Amino acid sequence: EAQVTQNPRYLITVTGKKLTVTCSQNMNHEYMSWYRQDPGLGLRQIYYSMNVEVTDKGDVPEGYKVSRKEKRNFPLILESPSPNQTSLYFCASSLFGTGAYEQYFGPGTRLTVT
Amino acid sequence: DAKTTQPTSMDCAEGRAANLPCNHSTISGNEYVYWYRQIHSQGPQYIIHGLKNNETNEMASLIITEDRKSSTLILPHATLRDTAVYYCIVRSDFDTGANSKLTFGKGITLSVRP
């Protein structure tokens, strides 16, 4: 089944403890992206990648890192999480590196930082 | 992305067609109309998109007016599982890189009643 998977789905952690949220897609998509969704603020893009080893900042990149060493994986790294990073996170992918056409989303990761 | 306007909410009876309107009066010639939906706290789901011709897939139909200033998403036989927030957006295939991010407005909340 064609899909975008994220792990973990739920995570409660403490301030400053490094964590990684994994994202993987099995559709051979070139473009991948991370969003966060907060009440009243809608979807905001954190980082995106147009292909392997090509990443760039979105609208809210502060406090996050990403890497794209393989086409299928696009992990989101929080080196020192803070409470303001408590949010619902979505990974998305799209066939072409430009991000054009439809994007397919993972199920989401609900992160709570205390 | 061109601005879109949607009603805040609507409801329909299970088994009946749900017709969700969207206005996009400032759409430009190379911009497509896309529809996504988000069932509560799940990942957004791509539904359908079109340029100027009507489109149909296994999920829905998209009717775009001749002047392209408005469109209607039709769910032919709504079920309880179709209860979600539906987002109409317009975007161009030339929206690449940082412009490839999806920006959802408030969308329309569809409630399907038994």
Side-chain angles (χ1 to χ4, degrees):
Chain A
E1 179 188 355
Q3 59 183 345
V4 179
T5 57
Q6 295 178 227
N7 283 292
R9 295 289 313 280
Y10 302 90
L11 180 60
I12 300 174
T13 190
V14 296
T15 299
K17 185 177 181 182
K18 180 179 179 180
L19 66 92
T20 299
V21 183
T22 65
C23 173
S24 183
Q25 50 89 9
N26 62 0
M27 297 171 280
N28 202 36
H29 284 178
E30 290 186 346
Y31 177 93
M32 297 185 75
S33 176
W34 277 102
Y35 295 87
R36 60 178 289 175
Q37 187 174 39
D38 303 287
L41 297 177
L43 275 181
R44 293 181 292 168
Q45 190 181 55
I46 303 170
Y47 270 94
Y48 65 94
S49 169
M50 299 175 76
N51 213 324
V52 176
E53 302 291 1
V54 180
T55 63
D56 210 342
K57 297 177 181 178
D59 294 326
V60 288
E62 295 77 21
Y64 304 94
K65 287 175 58 178
V66 293
S67 68
R68 187 93 182 271
K69 293 184 170 56
E70 306 165 280
K71 198 171 189 179
R72 64 183 293 128
N73 296 323
F74 190 44
L76 180 69
I77 303 156
L78 285 72
E79 297 257 349
S80 184
S82 63
N84 65 11
Q85 293 177 298
T86 292
S87 187
L88 180 57
Y89 291 87
F90 293 108
C91 179
S93 72
S94 184
L95 180 60
F96 299 109
T98 58
Y101 301 111
E102 60 268 31
Q103 295 189 17
Y104 295 92
F105 286 78
T109 295
R110 186 169 291 281
L111 172 66
T112 302
V113 184
T114 61
Chain B
D1 290 356
K3 186 176 175 64
T4 63
T5 56
Q6 301 176 254
T8 302
S9 63
M10 66 177 292
D11 63 19
C12 76
E14 190 176 19
R16 303 298 296 270
N19 298 303
L20 287 71
C22 180
N23 288 323
H24 31 79
S25 58
T26 61
I27 191 170
S28 60
N30 63 1
E31 287 183 318
Y32 287 76
V33 180
Y34 280 79
W35 284 84
Y36 285 79
R37 73 179 182 183
Q38 188 172 22
I39 299 169
H40 180 63
S41 293
Q42 296 183 19
Q45 180 185 22
Y46 164 79
I47 301 173
I48 198 167
H49 74 282
L51 185 63
K52 53 183 176 182
N53 297 322
N54 298 337
E55 301 287 346
T56 295
N57 63 20
E58 65 278 4
M59 287 185 68
S61 295
L62 175 60
I63 308 298
I64 302 173
T65 58
E66 193 168 342
D67 64 6
R68 302 206 328 121
K69 292 184 177 181
S70 66
S71 61
T72 301
L73 178 75
I74 301 172
L75 306 179
H77 306 287
T79 71
L80 298 179
R81 288 176 294 180
D82 293 321
T83 292
V85 181
Y86 288 77
Y87 299 98
C88 167
I89 63 174
V90 293
R91 63 198 298 258
S92 167
D93 291 343
F94 300 111
D95 288 337
T96 63
N99 293 324
S100 64
K101 64 178 181 285
L102 292 181
T103 302
F104 292 163
K106 295 192 186 308
I108 177 172
T109 299
L110 173 67
S111 300
V112 180
R113 61 181 188 276

